[in-house]
Amino acid sequence: MALRRTWAVALFGVDGVLVEIEADVRKGGLPSLQLLGLPDTALQESKNRVRAAVQNCREDWPASCVTLALSPAALPKAGTSYDLALACAVLAGAELVPPHRLAGTVLFGELALDGRIRPVNGLLPALLTARKEGMRRAIVPAEGLAEAHLVEGIEVLGATHLREVVAWLRELGELARYPPPMDEPPAEPVPDLADVLGQPEARWALEVAAAGGHHLLMVGPPGTGKTMLAKRLCGLLPELSGQEALEVTAIRSVAGDLTGSATLVRTPPFVAPHSSLSIPALVGGGTGLARPGAVSRAHRGVLLLDEACELGPKRLEALRTALEEGEVRLARRDGTLRYPARFQLVLATNPCPCAPARDLDCQCPPQVRRRYLGKLSGPLLDRVDLRVRMRPITAMTVHSGAEPESTAVVRDRVARARAAARERWSEHGWQTNTEVPGPVLRREFALPDQVTGLLDRGLEVGAITARGADRCLRVAWTLADLDGKERPDAEHVAAALEFRDRRAA
C-alpha cells in the first residue's frame, strides 16, 4: 500500500485549474473511503461509482482505509469528470497497477457502474489548461477523441472502458488514438443578401456593421425583412482566426454542443433565442457553477434579439456589461466564472404593439408607442452604434439593371475595409474599429476640429453623450475604410451621427 497521485482539471467557465488527486491506501483499520477537497454532490457520489466500476472490472478493491484528497483543497470541485482519475489513483495506491505511466498524465471521464467510460463536457478548455500546466499526455473518453484532438502539443489517448486503461497502465495493451484527419466537410451555404427586397438604408447599415463590428438596431413593421437581414450578417463576416476558433469551440464544449466528429468552429456563430428566454439563459446561469448563456454562445459572432421590445427591460439591461466589456462574470456561491461574450448585437423590433403594415393604420396612442419603444432604455441604445428605420415593401419585382447586390460582392468590400482597419491598429492588437478605446481615438488619432465640429455641437446641446461621441468616431473610421480613405472627413462624421438619430428608434 502506498501514496499515489493522478491529475484532473477543474473547470470554471472556460478557465481551468489543474487538480492533483492523492490516494492514501493504508493497511489496517476498518475499510472506509473518504473524499476530501470540497466535492459537490455529483463528485461525492463518485465514491460509489468508482468502487462499483473497479469491482465489476474484476479488480480487488482495497479492504482498508482509503483517503482521496483533491488539491487545491479550498477550490470547489464539481461534476463527474474526475471518476477515471479517482479510480486509477486508488488502483495505483493499492499497488494493483504500476504508477509510472500516470506521471504527467491527466485523466477525464465519468464511470458507469460496469466500468464504461462516458463522455464529459468541457474537454477542449480542460485540455488547454493541462497543456498550459505542462502535462504530457491525456486519457479521454473515446467519444471525445475528435474534440480532444483539436488541442495540439499534448498526446491524447482514448478509452471506452476502465479495463482498457488498467491494461494500458500494466503495459498489456494500447489505447485508441484519433485517426488521421479527413478533409473538412464543406461549409454550409449561407443565406444570400440578394434575397432581400429593397431596404437600401438597412442593407448599407448591415454592411457598415459587418465592416466595423458595430451593433445594429432595426425598427420597422412586420414583414419588411428585419430578420432576413440579420441572418445574412454572418455571411458578410470573415472566417474566424485560429485563436478565435478555439475560443468559440471551447464555449460549445462547455455547453455540450459539440458532436462526436468535432471540428474547430471556423464560421462566426449566429444565435437567435426566443423572446421568452430567461435572464440566466441570456447571460448564463444555473445551479452550482453557471453555464454559458446566449451572449457567450454568440461569442465572435452575431446575437439577434428579434422582437426586442417583448423581452422586457430586465433582460435587455442585463446585456449592458457584456456589450461594454466583451465578457460575462457570473458570481455564484461556489466561485466567480468568466465567459467571453464579444459579439455583435442586432436588435429588431416593431414600432408599436399593434404593428400594422403601414404606419397610417396604427391604432396605438402616442403614449403607448413611447412606452413600447421605451423598453429600449437610453443606456442600452447609447451602446448601439447604428439605428435604421425599415420601410414597407412597395414592389415584389426588381427593375432591370437594379438587381440587389449579393453577399459575395458586399463581403469583398467588407474584407477590404477590415483589412485596412487591421493594418492601422496592428501595433495595438485590435482587429476592428469597434475594439478601439475612445481615449485612443481622441488623442493618438484625433481628427481636426473642422471634422468633429458636428460632434462638438451634439455634445453641447445634449443630443449625444460622451460614450455616443466615441461610438460615432468608430463608425466614422469604418465609413472611411469602406470609402478607401485614410482618415474620416466631416461627411463621414455626419453620416455616423445620422446613424444614431433617435427618430430611427
Side-chain angles (χ1 to χ4, degrees):
M1 306 297 179
L3 176 67
R4 301 299 183 194
R5 296 177 178 85
T6 57
W7 284 266
V9 172
L11 278 182
F12 295 88
V14 292
D15 301 317
V17 177
L18 191 65
V19 174
E20 180 184 2
I21 299 175
E22 299 175 288
D24 182 27
V25 182
R26 294 183 177 273
K27 293 182 180 179
L30 294 175
S32 63
L33 176 58
Q34 293 183 332
L35 185 59
L36 311 177
L38 296 183
D40 72 342
T41 303
L43 182 52
Q44 192 69 249
E45 292 174 348
S46 67
K47 296 187 295 184
N48 299 324
R49 290 194 302 272
V50 168
R51 181 190 288 112
V54 169
Q55 292 175 337
N56 286 327
C57 289
R58 298 181 182 179
E59 300 289 341
D60 295 328
W61 183 265
S64 55
C65 179
V66 179
T67 303
L68 294 167
L70 283 69
S71 177
L75 187 75
K77 302 165 190 73
T80 59
S81 64
Y82 302 86
D83 288 5
L84 182 59
L86 292 171
C88 292
V90 171
L91 291 172
E95 299 183 341
L96 297 174
V97 297
H100 64 278
R101 281 195 163 184
L102 290 173
T105 301
V106 61
L107 301 104
F108 304 94
E110 175 186 333
L111 288 177
L113 298 185
D114 60 358
R116 286 176 293 117
I117 301 177
R118 291 173 169 154
V120 293
N121 293 341
L123 268 182
L124 180 58
L127 285 171
L128 291 172
T129 298
R131 183 186 66 181
K132 180 181 177 182
E133 295 294 333
M135 304 302 287
R136 303 188 306 272
R137 186 188 302 114
I139 298 177
V140 304
E143 295 181 32
L145 268 176
E147 177 183 345
H149 184 72
L150 300 177
V151 181
E152 299 177 351
I154 185 171
E155 182 186 8
V156 178
L157 304 173
T160 59
H161 203 281
L162 178 60
R163 284 194 296 265
E164 298 175 9
V165 180
V166 171
W168 178 80
L169 291 173
R170 292 170 177 165
E171 300 186 15
L172 299 176
E174 293 298 326
L175 296 178
R177 297 176 182 270
Y178 189 67
M182 306 293 289
D183 293 337
E184 290 192 9
E188 296 184 3
V190 295
D192 200 295
L193 199 57
D195 299 335
V196 182
L197 292 175
Q199 306 298 348
E201 299 94 343
R203 291 170 65 97
W204 173 236
L206 197 74
E207 182 175 341
V208 175
H214 305 289
H215 306 307
L216 173 64
L217 166 66
M218 293 183 286
V219 181
T224 53
K226 300 187 295 292
T227 306
M228 284 186 69
L229 281 167
K231 288 182 177 179
R232 283 147 179 80
L233 177 56
C234 283
L236 303 179
L237 302 178
E239 262 196 358
L240 301 178
S241 66
Q243 180 59 37
E244 292 170 344
L246 271 178
E247 294 173 4
V248 174
T249 310
I251 294 172
R252 290 197 178 183
S253 175
V254 172
D257 292 341
L258 288 182
T259 61
S261 57
T263 57
L264 278 179
V265 179
R266 292 291 185 181
T267 57
F270 177 81
V271 179
H274 191 266
S275 58
S276 64
L277 86 166
S278 62
I279 292 180
L282 179 62
V283 298
T287 58
L289 292 175
R291 295 171 61 82
V295 296
S296 297
R297 292 170 187 258
H299 179 60
R300 301 295 182 184
V302 176
L303 174 65
L304 168 63
L305 295 183
D306 209 352
E307 305 298 340
C309 289
E310 301 295 336
L311 268 75
K314 289 185 178 180
R315 281 170 283 187
L316 290 171
E317 295 306 302
L319 294 169
R320 285 161 55 177
T321 302
L323 290 174
E324 200 69 27
E325 300 183 5
E327 69 175 18
V328 174
R329 293 183 296 275
L330 302 170
R332 296 294 185 268
R333 179 201 63 189
D334 295 333
T336 300
L337 288 78
R338 179 194 67 86
Y339 285 116
R342 192 169 296 280
F343 57 92
Q344 281 188 251
L345 176 65
V346 178
L347 298 171
T349 183
N350 297 323
C352 65
C354 73
R358 299 187 308 166
D359 280 345
L360 293 176
D361 299 328
C362 178
Q363 302 295 319
C364 299
Q367 62 270 25
V368 173
R369 292 174 66 96
R370 287 195 299 269
R371 189 182 307 119
Y372 185 75
L373 289 176
K375 296 177 183 179
L376 303 175
S377 69
L380 176 63
L381 288 178
D382 206 27
R383 292 166 168 84
V384 178
D385 305 329
L386 311 173
R387 307 170 193 171
V388 62
R389 189 65 179 251
M390 307 284 287
R391 308 299 176 187
I393 302 298
T394 58
M396 293 300 294
T397 58
V398 178
H399 298 292
S400 177
E403 289 81 3
E405 291 182 319
S406 67
T407 292
V409 173
V410 179
R411 184 170 54 224
D412 287 341
R413 290 201 297 268
V414 168
R416 289 195 294 270
R418 281 186 168 246
R422 188 164 52 249
E423 182 179 356
R424 180 171 56 249
W425 312 120
S426 59
E427 294 183 3
H428 305 273
W430 302 312
Q431 299 291 317
T432 59
N433 293 321
T434 193
E435 299 175 31
V436 184
V440 174
L441 291 177
R442 295 193 301 270
R443 296 172 186 168
E444 298 180 33
F445 294 86
L447 300 176
D449 292 342
Q450 60 268 27
V451 174
T452 59
L454 279 176
L455 280 182
D456 297 335
R457 178 60 179 164
L459 287 168
E460 182 181 346
V461 301
I464 56 173
T465 64
R467 180 194 291 117
D470 286 344
R471 290 188 172 274
C472 278
L473 287 175
R474 297 186 184 108
V475 174
W477 279 99
T478 300
L479 293 172
D481 291 336
L482 285 169
D483 281 349
K485 304 291 183 61
E486 290 188 3
R487 297 174 69 85
D489 55 27
E491 291 184 1
H492 295 133
V493 173
L497 271 172
E498 188 176 351
F499 272 126
R500 297 186 65 82
D501 188 354
R502 289 185 179 273
R503 288 173 295 179

